[in-house]
Amino acid sequence: MTWRKAQCLAAVEQTVVPAGPIDAVEEALADPQIMARGLEIAPEGMPGRRSPLRFSRSERVLERAAPQKP
């Protein structure tokens, strides 16, 4: 519980365990791949990422944010 993300990833990499970071929303949105592929969304001002899946004849319309827990 006291390790930082980079320390944990380095440790599992040394033991050849497949792993990847779990990013906060801000970190994920700052990822160059997210920006290059146009995956950043903000329906109703709520920042997020869209699915990287693209369909040839239909574009996903994201007008509303996910419901929030009351």
Side-chain angles (χ1 to χ4, degrees), residues 7-65:
Q7 293 171 306
C8 186
L9 288 172
V12 294
E13 187 175 303
Q14 287 178 347
T15 58
V16 195
V17 173
I22 298 175
D23 294 333
V25 172
E26 297 79 22
E27 293 172 311
L29 293 177
D31 186 288
Q33 240 347 44
I34 298 299
M35 293 185 285
R37 296 193 64 198
L39 301 179
E40 184 176 355
I41 60 171
E44 298 179 343
M46 179 69 67
R49 300 187 306 183
R50 67 174 288 153
S51 169
L53 301 176
R54 304 280 181 167
F55 299 98
S56 61
R57 290 190 288 246
S58 61
E59 182 65 28
R60 290 188 63 187
V61 178
L62 303 167
E63 298 170 347
R64 296 186 307 173

